[in-house]
C-alpha cells in the first residue's frame, strides 16, 4: 500500500517510504544548518511549549507558515520545528533552565516548538509565540532562565534586563 504525503511544495507528493527517508535526511541537514548558524552567531533559538496537543500545533503551523524540510518557515524568516527529547530538545540546556521549565509546567515537557530567528526578527518571534500560547503554555529563550507567559511576551515585559527573545538592553 502506498500513502501519499505532501512535501509542502505545491505539486510534489511522495510515498510514505520516500517521506521517511527525507525526514531522516532533513533532520540531519537541519541539525547541520542550525550548528552552522549557531557557530556563525547569526541566529537565536526560542522554545514554545503550548498547552494544546501536538496535532493542534501542527494544524496551526500549517495555517501560519509554509511546511517543508521537516519543519516550517515564515515569510519573515522564522524557522520552526517540533522537537522532543529524542531529537535533542534539552541538548545544551543548563540544568537550571530545565528545572525552571519543569517547575512552571508542573512536569518535564516531552516536546516543544523550536523557533530559530535573527534578532532583527524578534517582533515576529514574539507575535508567533503569542499565537502558539493563545490557549496557555510557556516559552523560553536563549537569554535568561525566565519562563515566559503569553502576557509577558505580548506586553514586552522586561525580565533580567531583557525582553523575550532579546538579551539585556544596553
Amino acid at each position: 500500500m502506498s500513502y501519499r504525503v505532501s512535501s509542502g511544495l505545491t505539486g510534489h507528493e511522495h510515498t510514505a517510504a520516500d517521506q521517511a527517508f527525507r525526514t531522516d535526511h532533513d533532520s540531519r541537514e537541519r541539525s547541520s544548518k542550525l550548528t552552522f548558524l549557531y557557530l556563525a552567531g547569526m541566529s537565536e533559538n526560542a522554545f514554545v511549549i503550548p498547552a494544546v496537543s501536538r496535532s493542534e500545533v501542527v494544524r496551526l503551523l500549517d495555517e501560519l507558515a509554509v511546511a517543508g524540510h521537516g519543519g516550517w518557515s515564515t515569510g519573515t524568516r522564522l524557522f520552526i520545528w517540533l522537537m522532543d527529547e529524542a531529537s535533542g530538545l534539552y541538548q545544551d540546556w543548563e540544568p537550571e533552565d530545565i528545572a525552571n521549565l519543569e517547575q512552571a509546567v508542573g512536569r518535564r515537557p516531552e516536546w516543544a516548538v523550536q523557533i530559530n530567528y535573527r534578532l532583527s526578527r524578534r517582533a515576529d518571534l514574539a507575535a508567533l509565540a503569542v499565537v502558539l500560547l493563545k490557549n496557555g503554555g510557556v516559552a523560553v529563550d536563549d537569554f535568561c532562565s525566565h519562563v515566559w507567559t503569553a502576557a509577558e511576551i505580548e506586553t514586552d515585559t522586561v525580565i533580567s534586563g531583557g525582553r523575550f527573545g532579546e538579551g539585556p538592553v544596553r
Side-chain angles (χ1 to χ4, degrees):
M1 174 181 275
S2 176
Y3 295 95
R4 297 184 76 87
V5 179
S6 173
S7 67
L9 302 173
T10 307
H12 294 82
E13 294 183 349
H14 306 282
T15 66
D18 289 342
Q19 185 66 27
F21 171 80
R22 289 174 191 281
T23 298
D24 181 57
H25 172 76
D26 291 344
S27 177
R28 287 191 307 263
E29 182 180 16
R30 177 182 71 232
S31 178
S32 296
K33 286 179 183 176
L34 284 176
T35 300
F36 172 77
L37 291 172
Y38 176 77
L39 292 174
M42 297 174 62
S43 65
E44 306 298 338
N45 289 290
F47 295 87
V48 178
I49 298 89
V52 296
S53 70
R54 192 173 177 138
S55 62
E56 178 62 20
V57 169
V58 169
R59 186 195 62 74
L60 186 58
L61 289 172
D62 283 343
E63 290 176 11
L64 298 172
V66 177
H69 301 290
W72 296 263
S73 61
T74 68
T76 59
R77 311 261 321 144
L78 300 178
F79 300 96
I80 308 152
W81 299 274
L82 296 184
M83 297 289 291
D84 56 29
E85 288 205 56
S87 61
L89 174 58
Y90 297 109
Q91 182 178 349
D92 298 327
W93 285 42
E94 296 295 329
E96 169 189 343
D97 295 338
I98 296 170
N100 289 342
L101 179 61
E102 289 173 345
Q103 183 178 9
V105 175
R107 60 178 171 72
R108 185 178 179 118
E110 297 174 9
W111 64 277
V113 179
Q114 179 179 358
I115 305 169
N116 183 262
Y117 66 101
R118 295 191 74 156
L119 285 175
S120 62
R121 298 297 186 187
R122 191 200 71 82
D124 301 317
L125 162 72
L128 178 59
V130 167
V131 169
L132 290 170
L133 297 173
K134 177 183 173 187
N135 294 310
V138 296
V140 295
D141 63 24
D142 282 343
F143 297 101
C144 73
S145 294
H146 183 70
V147 179
W148 299 87
T149 65
E152 291 170 330
I153 296 168
E154 191 168 32
T155 59
D156 259 350
T157 300
V158 175
I159 304 285
S160 299
R163 301 175 295 176
F164 174 71
E166 175 180 81
V169 179
R170 296 182 178 110

